[in-house]
Amino acid sequence: MDPPAAKRSRGCPAGPEERDAGAGAVRCRGRPEALLDLSAKRVAESWAFEQVEERFSRVPEPVQKRIVFWSFPRSEREICMYSSLGYQPPEGEHDARVPFTRGLHLLQSGAVDRVLQVGFHLSGNVREPGGPGEPERLYHVSISFDRCKITSVSCGCDNRDLFYCAHVVALSLHRIRHAHQVELRLPISETLSQMNRDQLQKFVQYLISAHHTEVLPTAQRLADEILLLGSEINLVHGAPDPTAGAGIEDANCWHLDEEQIQEQVKQLLSNGGYYGASQQLRSMFCKVREMLRMRDSNGARMLILMTEQFLQDPRLALWRQQGAGMTDKCRQLWDELGSLWVCVILSPHCKPEERTSWLQLLSKWDKLDVCPLEEGNYSFDGPSLQPTAALIAGPEEEEEVMAMAAGSRHTVFGRALQAGSLHWSDDHLQRILASDSYSPNLTGNGGSDKPSFDPQGRPLWLGEPFPTTCARVDTLRAHGYPRQALRLASAIVNTLRLQQRHQLQIYKQQKKELLQKGSTCITNMEGWVGHPLDPIGCLCRALLEACRLEEETLTIYPDSGPEKRKVAYQHVPVPGSPGESYLAMALEVALLGLGQQRALPDGLYAQDKVVRNEEQLLALLEEVELDERLVQVLRKQAGQLLEGGPFSGFGEVLFRESVPMHTCARYLFTALLPHDPDLAYRLALRAMRLPVLETAFPAGEPPSNPLDSIMSNRFPRWFILGHLETRQCELASAMLTAAKGDPKWLHAVLGSIQQNIHSPALLFKLAQDACKTATPASAPPDTTLLGIALELGLQVMRMTLNTMTWRRREMVRWLVSCATEIGPQALMNIMQNWYSLFTPVEAATIVAVTGTTHATLLRLQLDAAQREELWACARTLALQCAMKDPQNCALPALTLCEKNQAAFEAAYQIVLDAAAGGLGHAHLFTVARYMEHRGLPLRAYKLATLALAQLSIAFNQDSHPAVNDVLWACSLSHSLGRHELSAIVPLIIRSIHCAPMLSDILRRWTLSAPGLGPLGARRAAKPLGADRAPLCQLLDAAVAAYITTSHSRLTHISPRHYSDFIEFLGKARETFLLAPDGHLQFAQFLENLKQTYKGKKKLMLLVRERFG
């Protein structure tokens, strides 16, 4: 970067001035600072050097030197702010990516030399070691500064980044740490004024000679203009001096490369889908906050540049055109942008003209079509904080609020524009901010219609919506007013407490009426948690910040995210409030916000933000280690939440669409359990409610699609219902785990689960968790908790009985194992009541089988009588299932009843009865094969004949699924004997019309003699002939089938199938020849074909060639 042009012109003062060679020397520690230095410091911070020269006709050289000396920035923190990334880089990359760290290393290694300060200009060389095999690199660095701010930088490394390079950092830190070692000269114009004509000519000629290649053209041009009378250069008094600092009218701000900021934001937005891009943009927002906190005007400048690039993001127009919402990451960035603008506009120290210019920009951006709208139905003119509040809003008022919220167009800049009408000039507000001891003794209400103090004399801040007042706190923190932010936060907390007390009083007066009604209108149409201004978060962070125990070190990575170290807190007393601490106050505020009964906002992102904001607040609270003092606050707030009526999300009466309290309740339950178990359980049980589901499904009525998020299609407005149900399940699981060994609370939790959780998938998860908790590896099981796990499992079975899902098998197996853990009686109970729990298939194939495996019996440790009782129960179950669903349960029932003859006969009879009732041939064949495998061939034969009676295979179904079953049945009948073979032939002829199959069966039967009969006597000594009974009928059927099939195929045959047909005729001839006159029959058949299909000359030619 090139150094900027001269800031202003300087006249040539007449007369010599004194020199002070000792100027800039650092005084020894312990000695009081000289009045000259004290004065020079203040002047150097606030006055441009031109202003000093105009104010005083003659400024002594020693004074000039001290002003110039103290004009350089004195804080390393500011150098760090302009040379750090603002987010935590990956481990091991600190030196490579953080200019401040690299510059510090360069300084410590002695890489800075030849440092010279000429007026308000600092220059020097920085040597940086090269890489392996590379030479050392030398960089020339120059820095201009004014009023303790760096106004421009230039470095030979040609750094193109947002912030200063490591070489600028090294030179700056050298000047701050070793100021006494830096050679100091007054501005060059002061030196030139002391030269005579000959000296000036010599100076110019030597300067041109040293740099003739760079400056000779410029020198000649300037000489020509000076020699030309009336030229512009001769009309200007004095000459520019780049070392004399800025002029009075010049902006006094730190150097910021605007072009680089715009380019980098544009590039990061184009990579918006990547996590790293969002992280870097957030780091830039953090940098803006850091600048605001340092009261650096570049904070607003940088925010303007970023906003312009955000609005030029091409995705905005695309999303608007498609009617699609922006991504969550992008929406979060826009939210942060909007909240930052609120802080900027609300600045307590900005000039009116600055605020006006910002508001003009915001108003212009707000009107753009692509400007994103604020998500949710939050109002812009919500109710102000008042010492009293109405208990409920009537339906008309509620509709009016909703209509106002939905009727106008509010962009993300709307709240910043609204903040433009706020001011800090209120007398009461000024007194709150000015003193910790502000009390009624110092002032009266002054005729105001609103109270200024609570009954204890502590200041209140009323008359503004709560989010707006908290935005003031956030603004004060953001602009570096932490004490004032704390004072205002304390006044807001006092107001909230007073309002809470009045709300409780009003509720007690109307409690009976509300409880009889059983429902209420919402008292807060917009919640504080998830609000765009994040009021509860602003208040908590301001209070917690005052209690943080941290080493006072230079922060290179502000808000460095998940890797930042654990924060410790301590109690810090609140001035003017004995016994109060900011830490306890933060906890109280967080619980007030989290426990507020509020309506769920509209829109997916707004609802997701409620959840995210709630989790962020709880993460803050979990960092706080609870002591006795904080536990008392917890207990008090928990009690008030339970008694808070419609103002509390834990109250007895809830608005139907209020935000559930599950996540907050889980934190409170965990925190209170060691100190007050009764209160912890009462609070958590009250929070188990999910009102929108309770009104959707009356008690006992199952949902239409249980394993899905059951409200996703019936209540599309509740986009996050699945997440809320999961949080509800986690709360229930925490209570079940904690209540282990306590039957009273276990049964109370079970009742709450059964009443409030409507998702079978989550109920099943709870049952699994409870069973796991109840059966630790190194301790005896908790029978009560096991019983609860089983009860939950049974409820899931009943809810999902009519909804088949891939998880049902897992659920059924788990239920059997859970019942096994309890004992044989539980196992037999689910077998005896299987109708209401399982399908017949599940009961017969999983419950009965798993309940009687060897592993189960070993686990139960049963004696012989108990084993037989369990087996009898399983057999009864199997027979009942076979009767209800013989198609799928007959075979499992037969398998299970093998060891009991009576039960086996009953199962077999069920199969026979089912065959008459339409049991399919495939199932009959399966059972028949099983019978053969069991050594019951006659029963297998009987079932095979029943199956064949139902079967029909057409002439062209060579690959019918039952082909193998038919061949097996034929083989079985052949092995039984001639009688069985004769009986099955008519069935084969009637059921099978496929010629190849018939000929295949015929050939198989002619290969060997029939087998042994049922009585063991051999029926035939030699193979059966195809031309004799009973096979002659099958032969005639096969021949007829070939003739019929041939005519059928020739009707629509194409030339490409001629060769297949010739092969088919070859197989037909083999079958024909099995008959005594088969040769003549086949010849007659061919002749018939030739006459009938003589038009197919090519085909008939092929027939003659093959068969004559």
Side-chain angles (χ1 to χ4, degrees), residues 592-732:
L592 274 172
L594 290 166
Q596 176 198 34
Q597 185 175 165
R598 56 199 184 272
L600 190 72
D602 289 333
L604 169 60
Y605 178 75
Q607 293 176 14
D608 183 64
K609 189 174 180 181
V610 168
V611 173
R612 188 170 59 252
N613 198 193
E614 189 176 46
E615 291 172 348
Q616 288 168 349
L617 283 171
L618 290 173
L620 274 178
L621 295 186
E622 284 167 357
E623 289 181 349
V624 179
E625 189 175 342
L626 296 177
D627 56 17
E628 186 59 35
R629 194 171 175 182
L630 295 179
V631 169
Q632 291 304 317
V633 174
L634 271 180
R635 296 175 73 168
K636 178 183 176 183
Q637 285 302 312
Q640 290 182 347
L641 288 172
L642 285 172
E643 299 170 4
F647 299 101
S648 166
F650 294 87
E652 293 178 79
V653 181
L654 281 184
F655 176 62
R656 176 178 167 276
E657 294 196 15
S658 61
V659 177
M661 296 285 111
H662 308 134
T663 310
C664 174
R666 188 178 178 194
Y667 166 78
L668 288 171
F669 176 76
T670 306
L672 285 169
L673 190 63
H675 310 284
D676 193 339
D678 183 72
L679 179 60
Y681 279 108
R682 285 195 295 122
L683 194 77
L685 289 171
R686 181 76 66 81
M688 278 291 291
R689 299 169 297 180
L690 193 50
V692 70
L693 296 188
E694 293 169 14
T695 55
F697 297 109
E701 181 182 330
S704 58
N705 193 8
L707 289 182
D708 296 332
S709 180
I710 56 181
M711 299 302 297
S712 59
N713 52 351
R714 297 184 61 177
F715 284 86
R717 181 177 175 272
W718 283 66
F719 298 104
I720 59 168
L721 186 61
H723 176 86
L724 297 177
E725 287 182 291
T726 302
R727 291 291 178 261
Q728 183 188 36
C729 174
E730 290 172 354
L731 174 60

Side-chain angles (χ1 to χ4, degrees), residues 721-1004:
L721 186 61
H723 176 86
L724 297 177
E725 287 182 291
T726 302
R727 291 291 178 261
Q728 183 188 36
C729 174
E730 290 172 354
L731 174 60
S733 180
M735 286 195 287
L736 281 175
T737 303
K740 180 182 177 182
D742 190 334
K744 170 193 167 186
W745 287 119
L746 278 175
H747 286 99
V749 175
L750 173 63
S752 179
I753 290 171
Q754 292 176 323
Q755 180 182 354
N756 295 297
I757 296 184
H758 304 279
S759 167
L762 294 177
L763 282 171
F764 180 55
K765 183 180 184 305
L766 279 175
Q768 289 178 303
D769 291 347
C771 184
K772 186 177 180 180
T773 305
T775 54
S778 57
D782 185 310
T783 55
T784 306
L785 189 53
L786 264 179
I788 285 174
L790 180 65
E791 184 60 37
L792 291 174
L794 294 175
Q795 183 176 347
V796 172
M797 290 295 105
R798 287 189 286 267
M799 292 173 72
T800 59
L801 179 58
N802 298 319
T803 308
M804 288 298 99
T805 170
W806 61 271
R807 294 207 68 186
R808 274 283 297 188
R809 290 184 67 85
E810 177 193 354
M811 293 174 176
V812 174
R813 290 184 186 280
W814 176 86
L815 189 70
V816 174
S817 66
C818 183
T820 304
E821 290 290 338
I822 296 176
Q825 192 58 49
L827 197 54
M828 287 190 286
N829 282 341
I830 64 172
M831 289 184 182
Q832 292 164 357
N833 299 294
W834 72 271
Y835 284 102
S836 61
L837 301 171
F838 314 109
T839 64
V841 175
E842 291 169 345
T845 60
I846 302 177
V847 179
V849 174
T850 308
T852 54
T853 59
H854 182 66
T856 302
L857 296 176
L858 283 178
R859 175 72 177 165
L860 292 172
Q861 297 180 348
L862 305 177
D863 56 29
Q866 290 173 320
R867 286 194 178 199
E868 182 53 36
E869 183 182 7
L870 182 60
W871 269 108
C873 190
R875 288 193 292 267
T876 304
L877 164 65
L879 291 174
Q880 292 171 346
C881 294
M883 292 179 67
K884 195 171 183 67
D885 186 4
Q887 182 170 324
N888 296 306
C889 300
L891 185 58
L894 285 166
T895 306
L896 201 66
C897 297
E898 286 176 352
K899 297 181 181 178
N900 186 285
Q901 185 62 31
F904 188 80
E905 290 297 328
Y908 177 64
Q909 189 59 45
I910 290 172
V911 176
L912 294 179
D913 295 342
L919 186 62
H921 61 80
H923 294 92
L924 286 170
F925 275 127
T926 302
V927 177
R929 285 175 179 265
Y930 164 79
M931 287 295 183
E932 184 197 29
H933 179 71
R934 296 296 303 163
L936 303 168
L938 289 180
R939 291 190 175 185
Y941 174 77
K942 172 67 175 174
L943 293 172
T945 57
L946 292 174
L948 284 171
Q950 297 184 18
L951 184 63
S952 177
I953 299 180
F955 72 91
N956 58 350
Q957 290 183 301
D958 304 44
S959 57
H960 192 281
V963 168
N964 288 331
D965 288 327
V966 171
L967 295 177
W968 168 82
C970 293
S971 176
L972 175 66
S973 62
H974 185 267
S975 67
L976 289 174
R978 183 164 182 161
H979 175 73
E980 288 76 8
L981 190 66
S982 300
I984 206 172
V985 167
L987 289 175
I988 296 291
I989 294 172
R990 186 165 61 248
S991 301
I992 301 171
H993 308 285
C994 178
M997 274 192 70
L998 291 172
S999 63
D1000 188 20
I1001 294 170
L1002 182 63
R1003 291 181 184 283
R1004 287 170 183 260

Side-chain angles (χ1 to χ4, degrees), residues 101 358 515 543 557 589 604 663 709 758 769 800 931 1051 1064 1088:
T101 308
W358 295 334
L515 292 180
L543 295 166
Y557 315 111
V589 165
L604 169 60
T663 310
S709 180
H758 304 279
D769 291 347
T800 59
M931 287 295 183
T1051 304
F1064 177 77
N1088 186 20

Side-chain angles (χ1 to χ4, degrees), residues 185-461:
R185 295 285 185 271
L186 289 177
I188 193 66
S189 55
E190 296 291 337
T191 304
L192 294 178
S193 66
Q194 300 170 23
M195 296 182 184
N196 58 32
R197 182 188 178 283
D198 292 339
Q199 290 173 320
L200 283 172
Q201 182 171 354
K202 183 177 292 188
F203 171 79
V204 172
Q205 288 183 218
Y206 267 98
L207 181 63
I208 293 173
S209 176
H211 302 284
H212 64 279
T213 58
E214 293 92 355
V215 303
L216 187 57
T218 304
Q220 186 60 56
R221 178 178 58 81
L222 290 174
D224 293 342
E225 290 186 21
I226 290 173
L227 292 175
L228 181 64
L229 295 177
S231 65
E232 183 179 356
I233 198 170
N234 287 319
L235 298 177
V236 177
H237 175 69
D241 181 358
T243 67
I248 299 174
E249 302 300 327
D250 293 337
N252 179 230
C253 57
W254 285 77
H255 169 70
L256 192 69
D257 192 333
E258 297 187 358
E259 182 183 346
Q260 273 302 302
I261 289 176
Q262 292 173 321
E263 186 62 32
Q264 184 147 348
V265 173
K266 181 178 180 180
Q267 182 180 352
L268 291 172
L269 285 173
S270 67
N271 297 331
Y274 299 98
Y275 174 77
S278 299
Q279 190 74 355
Q280 289 189 55
L281 285 168
R282 285 195 180 90
S283 78
M284 295 179 74
F285 287 141
C286 289
K287 188 60 65 178
V288 171
R289 284 191 176 272
E290 189 180 356
M291 291 175 176
L292 295 178
R293 189 162 54 248
M294 302 288 286
R295 303 179 195 175
D296 186 338
S297 60
N298 278 340
R301 282 178 63 201
M302 185 169 174
L303 189 59
I304 291 172
L305 297 171
M306 293 185 70
T307 305
E308 289 173 343
Q309 292 304 310
F310 265 72
L311 286 167
Q312 292 173 20
D313 187 350
R315 294 178 298 170
L316 292 178
L318 183 63
W319 285 329
R320 184 172 182 272
Q321 182 182 1
Q322 296 175 345
M326 63 176 66
T327 62
D328 279 358
K329 288 179 183 177
C330 194
R331 171 60 68 179
Q332 290 173 31
L333 292 170
W334 274 102
D335 281 354
E336 179 67 16
L337 193 68
S339 64
L340 271 173
W341 270 114
V342 173
C343 288
V344 169
I345 295 296
L346 262 179
S347 169
H349 59 250
C350 72
K351 299 175 183 177
E353 56 270 21
E354 286 182 322
R355 177 179 292 188
T356 301
S357 67
W358 295 334
L359 288 172
Q360 288 173 350
L361 277 174
L362 286 171
S363 181
K364 182 183 74 172
W365 296 334
D366 183 76
K367 294 171 184 172
L368 295 175
D369 291 337
V370 296
C371 186
L373 301 180
E374 182 180 276
E375 286 277 343
N377 51 335
Y378 297 97
S379 70
F380 272 58
D381 297 302
S384 301
L385 277 178
Q386 299 293 342
T388 60
L391 180 61
I392 58 173
E396 298 84 3
E397 295 174 351
E398 193 174 304
E399 290 176 7
E400 184 180 347
V401 171
M402 296 293 287
M404 287 176 61
S408 54
R409 177 181 181 270
H410 296 309
T411 71
V412 292
F413 301 124
R415 298 194 180 273
L417 285 167
Q418 187 187 38
S421 62
L422 301 176
H423 58 82
W424 298 88
S425 58
D426 182 88
D427 183 61
H428 179 57
L429 177 60
Q430 286 293 324
R431 296 189 180 192
I432 290 174
L433 299 180
S435 172
D436 290 323
S437 56
Y438 180 38
S439 67
N441 300 329
L442 302 178
T443 182
N445 283 344
S448 173
D449 57 350
K450 55 186 180 182
S452 299
F453 301 90
D454 66 5
Q456 289 75 35
R458 295 173 298 198
L460 305 173
W461 179 241

